[in-house]
Structures are given as structure tokens and as C-alpha cells.
Amino acid sequence: MDKKRINLKNMNLKTITLAIPLLLLGSQASFGQLAAKKGITQEELYKHLNGLFQQGTAASKAEVLKEADYLAKSKKEEDQLLAGRIYTGLEKNDKAEAIKKSISKKFPKGITARNEAFGNLFEKNELTAAQAEAEYIRLSKQFPESSYDEKNRGIYGFALGVVAQQFAKEKNLEKVNSYLDQLKSTANYTNAIFAIGRELNQQKEYAFAQKILEPVYLNLSQQKSEGQKGNTGRQYQGGISLQYAEALLGNQQVDKALEILAKVQQESPSETATIAYAKALEAKGKSLDAFQLLESEVIKNGKEPKIMAELLPLYRKLNNSLSDTTNYLKGLNSRIDEMLVSKLQGEMVKKEAAQFSLVDRSGKEVSLASMKGKVVVLDFWATWCGPCKMSFPGMQAAVNKYANDPDVAFLFINTWQKEENYKELVNNFINENKYSFHVLFDEMKDRDKSVVTAYGVKGIPTKVIIDKEGFIRFQSSGGGADVEKIVHEISTKIELAKKG
């Protein structure tokens, strides 16, 4: 994303992989060029730095750089971490990387070194529960929890949850119970209950899963009904509700599960919630209701594989084990098309597309003006963007579909690359994956002159459909991996744009 205005608090959260806050506003400390002012607080420093970033001038950036250089020389780990985040914001990637590489060695008992060590524990999925427990005990001795401020201790509760989940996987309920007792006093308890409950359900330990999930579910429901706000684990309410309902179903308490799932479906609809609700309806003997629920979801959002895997068996069951679903699928496709066209027609806009001229991989200059008379599909992307790359098989299928249509052109605009050798990276990526994309290189250094800025793009991937007269008709961000869905949506947008 374009970070001309950078919020350092957000930078902190994004750059600490284990989401353990390293800096607490309000703590007393002296920093950077503000050190001469005695009693400066970290809150004041953040305000000062954010103000400089928001100015976006060469002078303000130079001032921020001075602060970062001073912090980078500090003997405090927190100062150096902040310097690294500032360097990242200023796109001084070499300096940021230098801090990242050296900080664990400089502070072998520091937060970074500790987080990296615990991170290795979290990544070792092949460990048995006993091995994970032994590793946790070893790390707790190497990095005693009492050595860190209260605000930096969250990782220990998270680790306890990981070990408990491993014991749940091995159906060692006594150990699970023991770890849950230790977790109750931590901020990680709700998160741990969600993960452990899910594992217990997978192991069909429904009675124990219901026992641990029920009080958390009831507590979260009460918080919601009372309108409580704050960090109380509410973000897990949907997931806890689904796990609790699954445990209830496993214990044959269908009516109670249905009540919960109906509420989740209404308040927080999702693919997972829909499937769970359909299964509960079927368990209650309401197969037709389950079928209609799934079918309406497919018509509204397309043929998601997991939904279809539940829908077609139900169709066969309701039609006396009919094996041939050809005619049904044909009719379903028509209804999906009608719904999508209606939806997209409501999303159509008509605004003049910003003109541009960029160089492609062969060095040839390509302008939007030269595409007049064609429907043009722009796809803004970068080599570091996971969702961009995830959608590329679908985009390749769309390119293939329109390969012989002279009225349609696809342009893949590579943007927001920070590497000096970005063209080499792009060429290698395209060649290795054998994509036939027509790639153009955006302006990388001066964001104000970039095409991505001219089109008001806030995040990538972003796809823009421009009609034959040069008007933007569709602009949307986000990616997906469903090839059929991508092709269907892009094709529908193209055909609507052709009609003007």
C-alpha cells in the first residue's frame, strides 16, 4: 500500500510478527533529536514523528531520518526496533535490514531474540506434545517471563496454548485441562479455547469440547448483549460459536446447535457458517431447508467448491439418489449468471480513465490512448503481493479466453516495487510461471507520478475495467484463488463494458 502518510503505531503492529506490543505509549524515555527536552514521552515522540511523516516534504523526511539515525545508535533494543520501522517507512531498506540482522546478536536476551526462539517452537508442527512441552520449559528457563515488562509477556500465554493444542491432538485431556488452568489468567485464554476446541472437535472429543467452549461462549454472548467494548476476546465470538455448535451437534444436541448457528448465519455470515448451519438442518431432518440455504449461497456468491461439495449430494438425496446433475447444474449456472449480472450492473461506474504511457518488458512504450476502441483490463500487482500472485492462474485463464478477441486487452501494471532490480525480479517471475501477461512497469520512485496513484488505488491487487470510449466501468481490489470464479467475474465485467 502507498504509505506517504505513515502511522508509526500501525507500523509497530505490522512489523512484530508475534503481535506482542514492544512499545507502550506513555512510558517515560528520551529519544532522538528530542532528547534535549527532558521528560519527553513516547507518546510525544510518536506525535512528532507522525506529524513529520504527514508533511511528506523533503525537509520533514530528512528530520525523521535524523531521529532514526540517533535511535539506531541507542543501547536500547526498543529504540533500535523503532529506528528499523522508521527506516522501512522511509524506504531505507538497507538500513532497516541491517538492524533486523544484528539486533538478536546485540540483545541475546532481548525481545527479538526471545520471539525468534519461540517462533521456532510454533513452526515445529512435527513435535509430539511431550516434545513441545519440553521445548516450552527450556525456552521459559532461557527467557524467564519475569525478565520482561508486563506488556511484553503475551507470548508465554500463546505458547501455553500451542502446547495445550498439541495435547488435545493426542487426546490427552488431563494435560489439556492442566494447561487451560494456567491459561485462564492470561489474555490468550479465548484464543486458546478456540484453537483447542477446534482440535478436540476434530478428534471427536465432543463432550470435553463442549465443557470448555460453553462458558466462553456464554461470556462472550453476555458481553455482546451488554454492549461491552474493548479487547475482551470478542473477535473470536463467531469462531467460538461455530466450535461450540459443532460440539453440541457431536453430542446430539441438535436444537441448541441450530439456535446458535441461525444467529451466527444472521449476524456473521460466512462460507463456514453456512455449511455448519446446513449440516445442522440436515441432522434435524430438514434436508430441503439445508439444500435451499446452500443453493441460495451459490446463486449469490458463485460455485465455491466447499459449498458445492455439500449441495450436490443433497440434491441427489432429495431426488431419489439421482446421479445425473447435468440439467440441474445448467439451470444453476443460468441463475448464477443472472444474479452476477444484476449485482455488477449495480456496481458499474462511468468516470474518465487517467491517461498513461508506460514501458513494457521489451522496452516498448505502451499508452492507454493506443488502446481506444478496446475494452482494457488493468491489473495492478507486485512480486511481493501474495493475493496478486494467487489470482494469476485465474487471470491467465481469462487472458486465454480473450486471446483471439481484438476488442479486449489485458495490461498487468507492476507497481510498488522497492527493489532496485525489480525488473529482473518481474521478468524471472513471469518467465518461471510461463504467464503470457503484457506487463508494464509503473513509476516506482516518485509515487505522485505513478499510474497506481492516478487511479486512486489503495491496495493491491486492484483490477480496473475500462470501456472502449476510455471510461472506467469497474474498479475493485482483492484477490482469490478460484480460477472459475475469477474468469466468470472478469468475463461478465468485460461483456458489460462492451455494451457501454
Side-chain angles (χ1 to χ4, degrees):
M1 299 178 75
D2 190 358
K3 296 286 191 209
K4 191 191 298 184
R5 296 192 172 187
I6 296 173
N7 186 295
L8 293 176
K9 297 177 193 175
N10 291 338
M11 286 169 60
N12 177 47
L13 295 176
K14 289 182 179 179
T15 52
I16 305 306
T17 57
L18 294 171
I20 309 301
L22 299 184
L23 301 166
L24 185 65
L25 294 180
S27 60
Q28 296 290 326
S30 295
F31 294 92
Q33 305 302 301
L34 298 183
K37 295 184 179 180
K38 293 182 179 180
I40 190 75
T41 66
Q42 201 166 64
E43 185 174 10
E44 290 168 331
L45 176 67
Y46 274 128
K47 184 177 179 180
H48 172 65
L49 291 171
N50 278 324
L52 291 172
F53 265 114
Q54 288 165 7
Q55 289 177 33
T57 65
S60 66
K61 288 181 180 179
E63 198 64 31
V64 172
L65 184 58
K66 286 182 183 179
E67 298 284 359
D69 288 342
Y70 182 95
L71 290 165
K73 297 172 185 176
S74 170
K75 293 182 179 181
K76 294 181 180 180
E77 182 184 16
E78 292 91 340
D79 291 356
Q80 292 200 14
L81 286 169
L82 179 54
R85 289 190 288 275
I86 296 173
Y87 285 140
T88 298
L90 293 171
E91 299 185 7
K92 302 289 184 181
N93 297 323
D94 53 342
K95 290 190 174 186
E97 191 63 26
I99 289 177
K100 182 179 177 182
K101 286 181 178 179
S102 66
I103 201 159
S104 293
K105 293 180 181 178
K106 289 180 180 178
F107 306 96
K109 294 291 185 179
I111 295 167
T112 305
R114 183 203 62 181
N115 287 359
E116 288 175 355
F118 273 88
N120 290 331
L121 166 63
F122 304 148
E123 292 168 4
K124 292 179 180 177
N125 298 322
E126 74 282 0
L127 294 180
T128 65
Q131 289 171 332
E133 182 179 52
E135 181 69 358
Y136 170 75
I137 292 171
R138 183 186 71 79
L139 289 171
S140 295
K141 289 179 180 178
Q142 183 180 353
F143 302 98
E145 185 173 357
S146 59
S147 300
Y148 303 91
D149 293 338
E150 188 71 33
K151 66 181 181 290
N152 292 322
R153 296 179 184 178
I155 196 169
Y156 295 93
F158 185 80
L160 283 172
V162 170
V163 176
Q165 190 177 352
Q166 195 64 29
F167 277 115
K169 189 174 183 179
E170 296 179 9
K171 300 187 180 184
N172 189 332
L173 304 185
E174 184 179 347
K175 276 287 192 179
V176 172
N177 217 32
S178 173
Y179 275 99
L180 287 178
D181 285 342
Q182 296 178 60
L183 278 160
K184 275 185 180 176
S185 61
T186 73
N188 298 83
Y189 185 64
T190 303
N191 174 28
I193 287 292
F194 167 72
I196 294 166
R198 179 177 57 193
E199 189 61 58
L200 289 167
N201 281 332
Q202 289 175 357
Q203 302 304 325
K204 302 189 186 305
E205 291 288 346
Y206 299 119
F208 193 80
Q210 181 178 340
K211 176 185 173 182
I212 67 169
L213 286 160
E214 188 167 71
V216 177
Y217 168 78
L218 293 174
N219 183 46
L220 291 174
S221 298
Q222 183 178 356
Q223 288 179 18
K224 185 173 183 180
S225 66
E226 294 175 356
Q228 293 185 28
K229 296 180 180 180
N231 185 21
T232 56
R234 287 273 299 279
Q235 67 268 37
Y236 294 103
Q237 181 155 14
I240 291 286
S241 298
L242 290 174
Q243 295 304 327
Y244 179 46
E246 185 176 344
L248 289 169
L249 279 176
N251 290 322
Q252 307 304 313
Q253 298 179 40
V254 180
D255 289 337
K256 197 171 181 180
L258 272 172
E259 181 184 341
I260 292 168
L261 290 168
K263 188 183 295 185
V264 174
Q265 180 69 9
Q266 181 180 7
E267 296 176 354
S268 307
S270 67
E271 180 183 275
T272 302
T274 299
I275 292 173
Y277 191 26
K279 286 182 176 179
L281 287 168
E282 191 175 7
K284 184 65 176 174
K286 297 183 176 182
S287 295
L288 180 59
D289 289 344
F291 172 78
Q292 290 174 336
L293 172 68
L294 293 169
E295 186 182 60
S296 65
E297 183 71 15
V298 168
I299 292 171
K300 184 167 61 176
N301 295 314
K303 294 189 294 183
E304 297 288 350
K306 289 181 180 179
I307 299 279
M308 293 301 295
E310 301 294 332
L311 177 67
L312 293 180
L314 267 176
Y315 175 80
R316 297 186 187 100
K317 177 182 176 180
L318 291 167
N319 287 276
N320 300 316
S321 300
L322 180 69
S323 60
D324 187 4
T325 58
T326 305
N327 288 332
Y328 170 68
L329 287 173
K330 185 177 180 181
L332 183 64
N333 287 336
S334 296
R335 293 160 73 188
I336 293 171
D337 286 342
E338 290 172 8
M339 178 64 77
L340 182 60
V341 168
S342 177
K343 173 178 175 286
L344 292 178
Q345 282 177 331
E347 295 176 1
M348 287 187 82
V349 297
K350 189 172 184 179
K351 59 181 181 180
E352 192 169 351
Q355 294 297 313
F356 61 83
S357 183
L358 298 174
V359 173
D360 67 12
R361 293 169 63 208
S362 68
K364 178 183 175 183
E365 195 167 282
V366 178
S367 67
L368 181 62
S370 67
M371 301 284 174
K372 191 153 188 184
K374 299 177 185 283
V375 171
V376 181
V377 180
L378 306 182
D379 191 342
F380 292 94
W381 70 286
T383 56
W384 50 261
C385 172
C388 301
K389 294 185 286 187
M390 188 187 302
S391 70
F392 276 179
M395 291 304 294
Q396 181 64 67
V399 169
N400 293 345
K401 179 176 179 178
Y402 286 93
N404 297 317
D405 188 332
D407 296 327
V408 178
F410 287 79
L411 298 175
F412 291 78
I413 300 181
N414 177 249
T415 191
W416 288 347
Q417 298 279 174
K418 295 181 179 180
E419 305 86 356
E420 290 295 329
N421 64 331
Y422 67 88
K423 290 186 178 181
E424 180 185 349
L425 293 175
V426 168
N427 285 330
N428 290 340
F429 173 77
I430 295 295
N431 293 335
E432 286 169 7
N433 290 280
K434 297 182 171 58
Y435 290 132
S436 62
F437 299 160
H438 192 179
V439 175
L440 306 182
F441 294 108
D442 201 2
E443 168 59 45
M444 302 296 179
K445 293 184 178 179
D446 189 343
R447 295 287 176 85
D448 290 335
K449 295 180 181 178
S450 65
V451 177
V452 74
T453 299
Y455 278 77
V457 174
K458 303 299 182 184
I460 56 176
T462 285
K463 295 171 178 58
V464 181
I465 314 295
I466 301 170
D467 68 17
K468 296 180 178 181
E469 300 303 316
F471 291 99
I472 295 173
R473 306 316 304 267
F474 297 98
Q475 182 162 333
S476 60
S477 60
D482 189 330
V483 172
E484 183 180 350
K485 186 175 182 179
I486 291 171
V487 174
H488 190 202
E489 185 167 323
I490 289 290
S491 299
T492 304
K493 288 180 176 180
I494 289 172
E495 297 307 319
L496 286 171
K498 280 184 176 181
K499 295 175 183 178

